[in-house]
Amino acid sequence: TLEFANINASSVTILAPKTFTLPAYPAVGANVTATGLTLSLSAAPLSAFVNVSLSGPGLNFTPSTFTFLAGGSTSAGFTLSASQIGVQLINYTVGGPGHKEFLPLEAGNITVQAARTFVMPAYPIMANGRESQPLTVTASTAPDAEVTITPTGTSLTFNPSSLTITGPATTGSWTVQGSSDGTHTVTYAINGTSRFLYIQPLDSSITIIPVKTCTPPVL
Protein backbone atom coordinates (compact mmCIF):
# COMPACT_ATOMS: atom_id res chain seq x y z
CA THR A 1 0.00 0.00 0.00
CA LEU A 2 1.37 3.40 -0.99
CA GLU A 3 0.99 6.22 1.43
CA PHE A 4 1.24 9.90 0.52
CA ALA A 5 1.82 12.84 2.81
CA ASN A 6 -0.69 15.62 2.65
CA ILE A 7 0.37 18.48 0.41
CA ASN A 8 -0.67 21.89 1.64
CA ALA A 9 -2.30 24.22 -0.83
CA SER A 10 -0.23 27.21 -2.00
CA SER A 11 -1.05 30.44 -3.76
CA VAL A 12 0.56 32.67 -6.33
CA THR A 13 0.02 36.42 -6.37
CA ILE A 14 -0.31 37.89 -9.83
CA LEU A 15 0.32 41.64 -9.93
CA ALA A 16 -0.81 44.00 -12.63
CA PRO A 17 2.16 44.82 -14.88
CA LYS A 18 3.87 48.15 -14.37
CA THR A 19 4.47 50.50 -17.28
CA PHE A 20 6.94 53.07 -18.51
CA THR A 21 5.85 56.52 -19.70
CA LEU A 22 8.05 58.08 -22.37
CA PRO A 23 8.20 61.76 -23.31
CA ALA A 24 6.44 63.12 -26.37
CA TYR A 25 9.59 63.73 -28.36
CA PRO A 26 9.60 67.16 -30.04
CA ALA A 27 11.00 67.74 -33.51
CA VAL A 28 14.61 68.84 -33.09
CA GLY A 29 17.22 70.57 -35.19
CA ALA A 30 20.39 68.67 -36.00
CA ASN A 31 22.92 69.11 -33.17
CA VAL A 32 20.44 71.12 -31.09
CA THR A 33 20.04 69.73 -27.56
CA ALA A 34 16.47 69.04 -26.43
CA THR A 35 16.18 69.43 -22.66
CA GLY A 36 13.55 68.67 -20.04
CA LEU A 37 12.70 65.15 -21.30
CA THR A 38 11.43 62.69 -18.68
CA LEU A 39 11.14 58.91 -18.44
CA SER A 40 8.81 57.71 -15.67
CA LEU A 41 7.49 54.48 -14.16
CA SER A 42 3.93 53.78 -13.04
CA ALA A 43 5.50 52.39 -9.82
CA ALA A 44 8.96 51.52 -8.53
CA PRO A 45 10.04 47.87 -8.95
CA LEU A 46 9.51 45.40 -6.10
CA SER A 47 12.73 43.62 -7.05
CA ALA A 48 16.11 45.24 -6.43
CA PHE A 49 16.17 47.44 -9.52
CA VAL A 50 15.28 47.84 -13.18
CA ASN A 51 17.52 49.37 -15.84
CA VAL A 52 16.43 51.25 -18.96
CA SER A 53 18.89 52.14 -21.73
CA LEU A 54 18.15 54.44 -24.68
CA SER A 55 19.96 54.36 -28.03
CA GLY A 56 19.52 55.16 -31.70
CA PRO A 57 21.54 55.96 -34.83
CA GLY A 58 23.07 59.42 -34.57
CA LEU A 59 21.34 60.04 -31.24
CA ASN A 60 23.08 61.15 -28.06
CA PHE A 61 21.18 60.69 -24.79
CA THR A 62 22.51 62.19 -21.54
CA PRO A 63 22.33 60.05 -19.51
CA SER A 64 21.68 57.06 -21.75
CA THR A 65 21.01 54.52 -18.97
CA PHE A 66 18.74 54.83 -15.93
CA THR A 67 18.59 52.64 -12.84
CA PHE A 68 15.37 52.68 -10.82
CA LEU A 69 15.68 51.11 -7.37
CA ALA A 70 13.03 49.27 -5.39
CA GLY A 71 11.10 51.83 -3.37
CA GLY A 72 13.01 54.66 -5.03
CA SER A 73 12.32 57.42 -7.52
CA THR A 74 9.92 56.72 -10.39
CA SER A 75 11.13 59.38 -12.84
CA ALA A 76 14.36 60.61 -14.37
CA GLY A 77 15.22 63.46 -16.71
CA PHE A 78 17.50 63.43 -19.74
CA THR A 79 18.60 65.44 -22.76
CA LEU A 80 18.81 64.43 -26.40
CA SER A 81 20.70 65.64 -29.43
CA ALA A 82 20.80 64.20 -32.94
CA SER A 83 23.35 64.45 -35.73
CA GLN A 84 21.45 62.86 -38.65
CA ILE A 85 18.50 64.51 -40.40
CA GLY A 86 15.39 62.37 -40.88
CA VAL A 87 13.10 60.19 -38.78
CA GLN A 88 15.40 58.38 -36.36
CA LEU A 89 14.57 55.18 -34.46
CA ILE A 90 14.83 55.16 -30.65
CA ASN A 91 15.51 51.77 -29.07
CA TYR A 92 14.88 50.88 -25.43
CA THR A 93 16.61 48.04 -23.57
CA VAL A 94 15.11 47.02 -20.22
CA GLY A 95 17.04 44.79 -17.81
CA GLY A 96 17.76 44.04 -14.19
CA PRO A 97 15.92 41.84 -11.67
CA GLY A 98 12.75 43.93 -11.92
CA HIS A 99 12.35 43.96 -15.68
CA LYS A 100 9.67 41.24 -15.69
CA GLU A 101 7.42 43.46 -13.59
CA PHE A 102 7.03 45.86 -16.54
CA LEU A 103 5.36 45.72 -19.92
CA PRO A 104 7.96 45.76 -22.71
CA LEU A 105 8.87 49.04 -24.37
CA GLU A 106 8.39 49.32 -28.12
CA ALA A 107 10.83 51.32 -30.23
CA GLY A 108 9.94 54.97 -30.82
CA ASN A 109 11.14 57.67 -33.18
CA ILE A 110 12.07 61.33 -33.37
CA THR A 111 12.07 63.73 -36.32
CA VAL A 112 15.34 65.56 -36.90
CA GLN A 113 15.36 68.60 -39.20
CA ALA A 114 18.05 70.94 -40.44
CA ALA A 115 18.79 73.35 -37.60
CA ARG A 116 17.37 76.85 -37.92
CA THR A 117 18.91 80.11 -36.75
CA PHE A 118 18.03 83.60 -35.60
CA VAL A 119 19.58 86.83 -36.85
CA MET A 120 19.62 89.26 -33.96
CA PRO A 121 19.61 93.04 -34.41
CA ALA A 122 22.78 95.07 -34.88
CA TYR A 123 22.31 97.28 -31.84
CA PRO A 124 23.21 100.96 -32.36
CA ILE A 125 25.19 103.05 -29.89
CA MET A 126 22.49 104.63 -27.76
CA ALA A 127 22.19 107.56 -25.39
CA ASN A 128 21.35 106.78 -21.77
CA GLY A 129 17.60 106.80 -21.20
CA ARG A 130 16.70 107.00 -24.88
CA GLU A 131 14.57 104.28 -26.47
CA SER A 132 15.71 102.79 -29.77
CA GLN A 133 13.73 102.49 -32.95
CA PRO A 134 12.11 99.05 -33.49
CA LEU A 135 14.87 96.46 -34.03
CA THR A 136 14.14 93.38 -36.14
CA VAL A 137 14.73 89.75 -35.14
CA THR A 138 14.69 87.31 -38.07
CA ALA A 139 14.29 83.52 -38.06
CA SER A 140 16.03 81.73 -40.93
CA THR A 141 12.91 79.57 -41.35
CA ALA A 142 9.45 80.06 -39.86
CA PRO A 143 8.69 77.94 -36.80
CA ASP A 144 6.45 74.92 -37.30
CA ALA A 145 4.30 76.32 -34.49
CA GLU A 146 5.70 79.16 -32.38
CA VAL A 147 8.97 80.20 -30.76
CA THR A 148 9.60 82.86 -28.12
CA ILE A 149 12.81 84.85 -27.69
CA THR A 150 13.45 86.63 -24.38
CA PRO A 151 16.38 89.10 -24.32
CA THR A 152 17.93 90.16 -21.01
CA GLY A 153 20.76 92.46 -20.02
CA THR A 154 21.85 94.49 -17.01
CA SER A 155 20.35 98.01 -17.00
CA LEU A 156 18.49 97.25 -20.26
CA THR A 157 14.73 97.32 -20.80
CA PHE A 158 13.24 95.57 -23.83
CA ASN A 159 9.75 96.22 -25.18
CA PRO A 160 8.19 93.74 -25.47
CA SER A 161 10.13 91.80 -22.86
CA SER A 162 9.54 88.58 -24.86
CA LEU A 163 8.94 88.24 -28.59
CA THR A 164 6.87 85.37 -30.01
CA ILE A 165 7.13 84.45 -33.69
CA THR A 166 4.34 82.23 -34.98
CA GLY A 167 4.62 80.48 -38.36
CA PRO A 168 4.40 81.36 -41.18
CA ALA A 169 5.94 84.63 -39.92
CA THR A 170 9.73 84.84 -39.73
CA THR A 171 10.29 88.25 -38.13
CA GLY A 172 9.39 90.32 -35.10
CA SER A 173 10.79 93.40 -33.41
CA TRP A 174 11.48 95.03 -30.07
CA THR A 175 12.88 98.27 -28.76
CA VAL A 176 15.53 98.67 -26.09
CA GLN A 177 16.46 101.36 -23.60
CA GLY A 178 19.55 101.58 -21.39
CA SER A 179 19.77 103.18 -17.96
CA SER A 180 23.49 102.86 -17.27
CA ASP A 181 26.50 103.97 -19.33
CA GLY A 182 28.87 101.32 -20.67
CA THR A 183 28.83 98.20 -22.82
CA HIS A 184 26.17 95.70 -21.76
CA THR A 185 25.81 92.03 -22.74
CA VAL A 186 22.48 90.78 -24.10
CA THR A 187 21.63 87.10 -23.63
CA TYR A 188 18.69 85.26 -25.18
CA ALA A 189 16.41 82.54 -23.82
CA ILE A 190 14.50 80.44 -26.38
CA ASN A 191 11.17 78.86 -25.49
CA GLY A 192 7.99 77.72 -27.20
CA THR A 193 6.80 74.61 -29.01
CA SER A 194 9.39 74.92 -31.81
CA ARG A 195 12.33 75.94 -29.61
CA PHE A 196 14.42 72.83 -30.20
CA LEU A 197 14.53 73.48 -33.96
CA TYR A 198 16.74 76.55 -33.43
CA ILE A 199 20.39 76.99 -32.54
CA GLN A 200 20.90 79.03 -29.39
CA PRO A 201 21.80 82.60 -30.46
CA LEU A 202 25.15 84.04 -29.43
CA ASP A 203 25.21 86.90 -26.97
CA SER A 204 25.08 90.46 -28.29
CA SER A 205 26.30 93.75 -26.83
CA ILE A 206 24.87 97.25 -26.56
CA THR A 207 26.88 100.42 -25.85
CA ILE A 208 25.13 103.11 -23.82
CA ILE A 209 26.72 106.59 -23.72
CA PRO A 210 25.91 109.70 -21.69
CA VAL A 211 23.32 112.02 -23.18
CA LYS A 212 25.05 114.81 -25.07
CA THR A 213 23.86 118.34 -24.57
CA CYS A 214 24.12 121.46 -26.64
CA THR A 215 25.16 124.76 -25.11
CA PRO A 216 23.43 127.66 -26.84
CA PRO A 217 25.74 130.42 -28.07
CA VAL A 218 26.15 133.54 -25.97
CA LEU A 219 24.68 136.45 -27.88
Side-chain angles (χ1 to χ4, degrees):
T1 301
L2 297 177
E3 296 183 0
F4 296 91
N6 292 330
I7 299 176
N8 294 328
S10 60
S11 63
V12 176
T13 301
I14 305 298
L15 301 175
K18 301 179 178 69
T19 58
F20 298 98
T21 300
L22 301 169
Y25 290 103
V28 299
N31 300 309
V32 175
T33 299
T35 59
L37 305 175
T38 302
L39 169 67
S40 60
L41 316 181
S42 60
L46 297 175
S47 302
F49 64 88
V50 62
N51 289 330
V52 184
S53 296
L54 290 70
S55 63
L59 301 179
N60 180 38
F61 297 91
T62 304
S64 59
T65 298
F66 308 90
T67 298
F68 297 96
L69 302 177
S73 173
T74 58
S75 66
F78 63 97
T79 65
L80 164 64
S81 62
S83 60
Q84 300 178 19
I85 294 173
V87 178
Q88 305 300 337
L89 190 68
I90 301 175
N91 295 306
Y92 306 99
T93 303
V94 181
H99 80 278
K100 291 184 179 180
E101 299 176 31
F102 291 83
L103 291 176
L105 274 170
E106 296 183 359
N109 61 69
I110 187 169
T111 300
V112 184
Q113 303 181 19
R116 306 172 191 184
T117 59
F118 294 105
V119 178
M120 294 302 173
Y123 294 100
I125 296 175
M126 297 170 49
N128 192 323
R130 302 292 174 84
E131 187 175 20
S132 71
Q133 295 295 314
L135 303 167
T136 300
V137 177
T138 303
S140 61
T141 302
D144 293 352
E146 47 80 24
V147 64
T148 298
I149 309 103
T150 302
T152 57
T154 302
S155 302
L156 300 175
T157 300
F158 292 86
N159 185 27
S161 57
S162 291
L163 172 65
T164 297
I165 300 175
T166 302
T170 57
T171 62
S173 64
W174 56 52
T175 63
V176 62
Q177 181 176 325
S179 60
S180 176
D181 296 346
T183 299
H184 304 280
T185 299
V186 182
T187 60
Y188 304 98
I190 308 301
N191 291 288
T193 306
S194 299
R195 65 191 181 279
F196 298 130
L197 293 171
Y198 292 87
I199 296 172
Q200 173 66 37
L202 298 176
D203 294 349
S204 304
S205 63
I206 298 178
T207 299
I208 306 297
I209 61 175
V211 175
K212 297 181 179 179
T213 59
C214 295
T215 301
V218 178
L219 299 179

